[in-house]
Amino acid sequence: AKASGKNNYKYFNEELNELLKFRIQQERELCSAIKNKEFELFLQPLVNSTDESIYGFETLLRWHHPSRGMVSPDQFIPLAEESGLIVEIGHWVMFEACRIARDWIDAGHDTFKFSVNVSSIQFERQDVYQLIKDALEKYAVPAETLVIELTETAIMTKHSEKSGVLQSVRKLGVKVALDDFGSGYSSLSYLRNLPVDYLKIDRQFIVESRDKSEVRSIINAIAIMAHALDLTVVAEGVEKPGEARFLNSIGCDLIQGYYYSKPVPETEALQFVRQWRQFCRA
Ligand code: C2E
Ligand code: CA
Ligand code: CA
Ligand code: CA
């Protein structure tokens, strides 16, 4: 028994070693990804539910890995956070989002909002206020063009300190969205005290609304409450016409999801805008 225990230990050790090697390798690759220009921001439209005009775009990070192909953020953001690389990546994302906003304004698209995801760890380790200010200034982008998206966890931990930062960000004219609402400890009562402008209903609610009428009732209640607090309501993960119709019927303001478009590269998003205009005129 003792011998096999030892073997198990050895086996476990080897596995741990492999895991560790993979991690270190991945961290090294992540570290060079910025200077190798392997990151790209994809864009996904947010559409006004009443007239189906385009309201803006969420920027979503993609990593074009030299051998593994496109890696989704869920697979590398956690490592980026643990290793602290999120600060550098977050810096790149903010400047790249403002670069896009500037190019689009120059191309005559000066009404769209662009939203940027800021992770909880990034919000703790980085002077996000200064970052936003610098990025807006570098590209002479009006603050009203920018929205930052934060989850409840990001806002709730060290709440008072962060509220102060968010207040100054909003004073610039930048809007704040509460992302993934309903996925954590969301309580309707604290929402009153949060310095946010948009409430994004978590995708899981939309998924479950398909066959559960009680989930549709919850979504309706969230929308009523959010509107009472003067928040703009966004539904994400909308895939089917029925979902869009339901969300429109309860007064949800903005709709985002595969139903309109997946996140796509910048040039495809521009194409989407042009086609959308033609479609609306027809
Ligand atoms: P999120 O902020 O909640 O972004 C929405 C996610 O839902 C995106 O996944 C988007 O592609 C996906 N999605 C949108 N519509 C639909 C739909 O109709 N059906 C389905 N099945 N999915 C839909 P993505 O792009 O893989 O991003 C995952 C998460 O990674 C994001 O969740 C966000 O938390 C994080 N992330 C993405 N970009 C950045 C970034 O630039 N910085 C940071 N810190 N985090 C980011
Ligand atoms: Ca988001
Ligand atoms: Ca979300
Ligand atoms: Ca999410």
Side-chain angles (χ1 to χ4, degrees):
K2 217 174 184 184
S4 89
K6 214 171 182 179
N7 273 338
N8 276 342
Y9 176 71
K10 185 174 166 242
Y11 177 69
F12 176 71
N13 232 354
E14 271 167 16
E15 229 176 38
L16 201 68
N17 241 334
E18 283 307 304
L19 212 72
L20 214 63
K21 260 193 243 160
F22 179 77
R23 245 199 76 132
I24 291 168
Q25 160 113 12
Q26 172 128 325
E27 205 175 304
R28 197 181 301 129
E29 289 169 346
L30 203 53
C31 203
S32 50
I34 293 183
K35 78 171 188 322
N36 293 345
K37 299 195 179 356
E38 292 166 4
F39 285 128
E40 181 177 5
L41 286 183
F42 274 25
L43 302 173
Q44 185 179 36
L46 277 74
V47 172
N48 282 300
S49 115
T50 46
D51 62 0
E52 295 198 304
S53 59
I54 302 170
Y55 181 81
F57 292 84
E58 177 172 4
T59 67
L60 293 155
L61 188 57
R62 297 292 181 264
W63 180 15
H64 300 283
H65 189 277
S67 61
R68 282 193 289 143
M70 199 163 78
V71 186
S72 88
D74 287 330
Q75 289 171 270
F76 66 85
I77 294 280
L79 178 63
E81 292 186 328
E82 284 169 43
S83 62
L85 284 169
I86 192 70
V87 171
E88 214 186 318
I89 294 172
H91 183 274
W92 181 87
V93 167
M94 192 63 72
F95 276 76
E96 177 66 1
C98 288
R99 193 277 300 159
I100 292 172
R102 168 42 58 199
D103 283 359
W104 283 48
I105 292 169
D106 288 345
H109 305 297
D110 54 5
T111 60
F112 299 138
K113 290 191 185 286
F114 291 92
S115 60
V116 173
N117 290 287
V118 175
S119 85
S120 170
I121 307 278
Q122 181 188 350
F123 196 45
E124 267 161 42
R125 297 212 188 160
Q126 197 169 30
D127 186 346
V128 171
Y129 171 78
Q130 195 60 42
L131 172 68
I132 291 171
K133 236 174 136 255
D134 291 348
L136 288 172
E137 235 165 63
K138 171 166 182 193
Y139 293 103
V141 167
E144 292 67 30
T145 313
L146 193 66
V147 179
I148 60 167
E149 300 198 357
L150 293 151
T151 61
E152 309 166 47
T153 338
I155 300 181
M156 290 313 287
T157 44
K158 298 190 200 143
H159 175 240
S160 53
E161 189 183 313
K162 284 173 173 177
S163 281
V165 177
L166 287 181
Q167 288 297 10
S168 12
V169 167
R170 290 169 89 209
K171 257 188 217 135
L172 291 174
V174 174
K175 301 283 186 216
V176 178
L178 179 60
D179 207 351
D180 300 350
F181 181 79
S183 66
Y185 295 98
S186 345
S187 102
L188 303 183
S189 56
Y190 81 68
L191 204 56
R192 189 165 52 95
N193 305 314
L194 290 186
V196 301
D197 307 282
Y198 301 81
L199 184 149
K200 296 189 82 168
I201 301 172
D202 192 62
R203 195 166 70 80
Q204 198 52 38
F205 281 108
I206 311 303
V207 170
E208 288 179 31
S209 75
R210 281 167 206 160
D211 44 39
K212 293 194 187 114
S213 69
E214 68 269 24
V215 174
R216 289 195 290 277
S217 301
I218 293 172
I219 294 174
N220 189 19
I222 292 174
I224 290 171
M225 175 220 40
H227 283 145
L229 296 169
D230 262 337
L231 302 176
T232 301
V233 179
V234 187
E236 61 179 4
V238 178
E239 294 185 1
K240 300 192 167 76
E243 293 159 19
R245 265 198 310 275
F246 161 69
L247 290 160
N248 174 254
S249 78
I250 61 157
C252 174
D253 303 287
L254 301 169
I255 291 178
Q256 179 183 359
Y258 295 176
Y259 173 55
Y260 289 114
S261 169
K262 290 191 172 184
V264 292
E266 190 185 352
T267 49
E268 272 180 56
L270 274 168
Q271 199 69 33
F272 179 86
V273 169
R274 287 194 204 103
Q275 280 167 358
W276 202 254
R277 286 200 173 160
Q278 260 166 10
F279 163 80
C280 285
R281 256 188 246 119

